[in-house]
Amino acid sequence: MNALMNTYARFPLTLVRGQGSRVWDDAENCYLDFISGIAVDTLGHAHPKMTQALSAQAATMLHCSNLFHIPKQQQLAATLCADSGLGAAFFCNSGAEANEAAIKLARKYFYDQGSSRRTVISATRSFHGRLLSTLTATGQDKVKVGFDPLPPGFIHVPLNDLDALKSVINQQSAAILLEPLQGEGGVNIADAAYLQGVRKLCDEHGLLLMFDEVQTGIGRCGTMFAFEQAGVKPDILTLAKGLGGGVPIGAMLATDAVAASFGPGTHGSTFGGNPLSCTAALTVLEVIEEESLLANVKARGEQLMQGLKAIQARFPVIKEVRGQGLLIGAELSVEAAPLIAQAREAGLLVLSAGPNVLRLLPPLNVSEAEVDEALVTLATVMERTQ
């Protein structure tokens, strides 16, 4: 009897261990992992430096609560702020919690100014989490069914449509919340010119610009943060997934002026930023630098992109290949699920981003040979399917 609630459509696979970019099931079958825990396993599986750091921290202190100063939490905050150009950080446990904190901070910021601005504008096809507020901010109706009444104060407009965005800005608008690259919504890229235009609109109208980089942040797109590629800096930034390399942690960063609206009692998280999760995040950031993983993401991302385009030339079932770094989607003219199953049978784990987009999310330290192996497997699957 399965005592778990039926909240996930699970693959028919039981994974029991991993090493690098590979995982093994309970029958000792080996798979090349191009899911990475849905963009979480930044350093792959069982990275020796991560294993050592977590073991040492577990032997020292797992948790002490935010009633006390936590040196590694302060170190992580300083590192993330230096890397992002923002002023202060708040730590929690997930991307949904980070986005919840961002929405609360934006509203509190305008409350402190004596303003009635509360509305958050986000994009259709976006995904911001499964809390009631972040669910409502999400631009996909399918995830909202059965959870009404949803909280007010959210509007959605199409991505990359600056005119549509302009048309909904009014005196109640507080913030614009965007993913620089929509992962769950289909691997849809926000154009650099669009993001620059959004920044200008926010400055002109006194709105806050919030970037959800839960999936794109921490090197996934080839720069530490995807917003760097547009030359635009947000007022609020959210992170999670790859930040902890497999250990749950979320972060919400903001400029000093905006962050000042959070004081004792305004927000909190029991487990947020505990010694273990901060050790994991610091280790991820250290390894990214020590192993030059941003350069590897760019090189392997280009290899994967070009390889998929070569497969597309042979098999027109692939309509478009798009993405940045190691967050790549292949839009298909058919449903993705059968191809995902065929790839799994052939020893490659990939996932979808909507019904007809294949999504590939290998670890940031994936090798050239492993990318080649994945491409050969996908080509073979395409050939069999054809």
Side-chain angles (χ1 to χ4, degrees):
M1 178 181 176
N2 188 353
L4 291 169
M5 289 191 183
N6 189 29
T7 52
Y8 305 102
R10 299 178 192 267
F11 295 139
L13 206 61
T14 301
L15 300 181
V16 294
R17 64 185 176 92
Q19 182 68 52
S21 297
R22 299 186 188 276
V23 291
W24 284 262
D25 66 15
D26 54 353
E28 283 300 305
N29 297 307
C30 182
Y31 303 85
L32 187 57
D33 183 8
F34 271 45
I35 296 176
S36 300
I38 315 182
V40 168
D41 300 316
T42 308
L43 309 180
H45 302 276
H47 190 285
K49 186 159 186 175
M50 179 69 84
T51 301
Q52 181 181 10
L54 293 180
S55 297
Q57 187 58 54
T60 305
M61 177 181 284
L62 291 175
H63 179 81
C64 65
S65 98
N66 286 299
L67 294 173
F68 305 95
H69 295 288
I70 302 172
K72 289 196 174 180
Q73 185 184 91
Q74 295 168 337
Q75 182 184 350
L76 178 59
T79 301
L80 290 174
C81 287
D83 288 346
S84 66
L86 296 171
F90 168 82
F91 293 110
C92 49
N93 310 288
S94 68
E97 291 177 56
N99 285 329
E100 168 83 4
I103 292 165
K104 286 183 66 176
L105 179 60
R107 290 180 170 176
K108 182 64 163 52
Y109 172 76
F110 285 105
Y111 172 85
D112 289 348
Q113 293 184 339
S115 169
S116 62
R117 291 175 180 253
R118 297 292 185 273
T119 300
V120 174
I121 304 167
S122 60
T124 55
R125 298 192 292 179
S126 61
F127 184 83
H128 299 294
R130 296 187 183 274
L131 304 176
L132 278 177
S133 63
T134 58
L135 188 75
T136 312
T138 293
Q140 301 184 54
D141 290 340
K142 66 180 182 181
V143 301
K144 305 178 186 183
V145 176
F147 299 113
D148 58 302
L150 298 174
F154 296 90
I155 296 175
H156 304 92
V157 295
L159 188 70
N160 290 323
D161 189 336
L162 209 56
D163 289 335
L165 184 57
K166 290 177 184 176
S167 71
V168 299
I169 294 176
N170 57 36
Q171 292 303 310
Q172 298 305 311
S173 304
I176 298 171
L177 172 61
L178 296 172
E179 299 160 277
L181 192 166
Q182 293 178 336
E184 302 298 324
V187 190
N188 308 306
I189 301 173
D191 297 334
Y194 172 74
L195 294 178
Q196 292 161 9
V198 175
R199 176 72 270 180
K200 186 177 179 182
L201 277 177
C202 288
D203 294 339
E204 290 173 351
H205 294 274
L207 279 65
L208 299 180
L209 177 56
M210 307 195 295
F211 283 154
D212 174 348
E213 293 227 31
V214 168
Q215 189 161 153
T216 59
I218 314 302
R220 173 59 55 181
C221 292
T223 48
M224 187 59 74
F225 311 107
F227 72 74
E228 297 175 64
Q229 299 182 37
V232 173
K233 191 171 81 171
D235 302 294
I236 298 176
L237 173 68
T238 59
L239 305 166
K241 286 190 179 289
L243 177 59
V247 175
I249 186 171
M252 186 271 292
L253 285 71
T255 62
D256 285 323
V258 176
S261 287
F262 266 3
T266 54
H267 197 53
S269 171
T270 297
F271 296 102
N274 66 37
L276 186 74
S277 63
C278 288
T279 295
L282 285 167
T283 303
V284 166
L285 296 176
E286 288 168 8
V287 173
I288 286 175
E289 182 175 359
E290 290 173 358
E291 299 185 4
S292 302
L293 292 189
L294 294 182
N296 190 64
V297 170
K298 292 175 183 176
R300 302 288 73 77
E302 181 64 18
Q303 178 190 358
L304 190 54
M305 183 79 74
Q306 294 307 316
L308 286 170
K309 288 181 177 179
I311 295 173
Q312 179 187 15
R314 294 174 57 197
F315 305 105
V317 69
I318 300 179
K319 295 169 59 178
E320 183 183 13
V321 179
R322 57 182 181 259
Q324 292 176 336
L326 290 176
L327 201 176
I328 295 179
E331 184 176 351
L332 309 175
S333 59
V334 296
E335 288 195 359
L339 290 172
I340 291 171
Q342 290 284 335
R344 186 171 63 247
E345 290 295 318
L348 173 66
L349 302 183
V350 294
L351 73 165
S352 63
N356 65 335
V357 177
L358 280 177
R359 185 171 26 149
L360 294 89
L361 298 162
L364 304 195
N365 53 1
V366 67
S367 70
E368 181 178 0
E370 287 166 340
V371 171
D372 280 340
E373 180 183 341
L375 289 168
V376 169
T377 302
L378 284 173
T380 302
V381 167
M382 291 287 178
E383 190 167 15
R384 289 175 182 170
T385 304
Q386 290 285 93

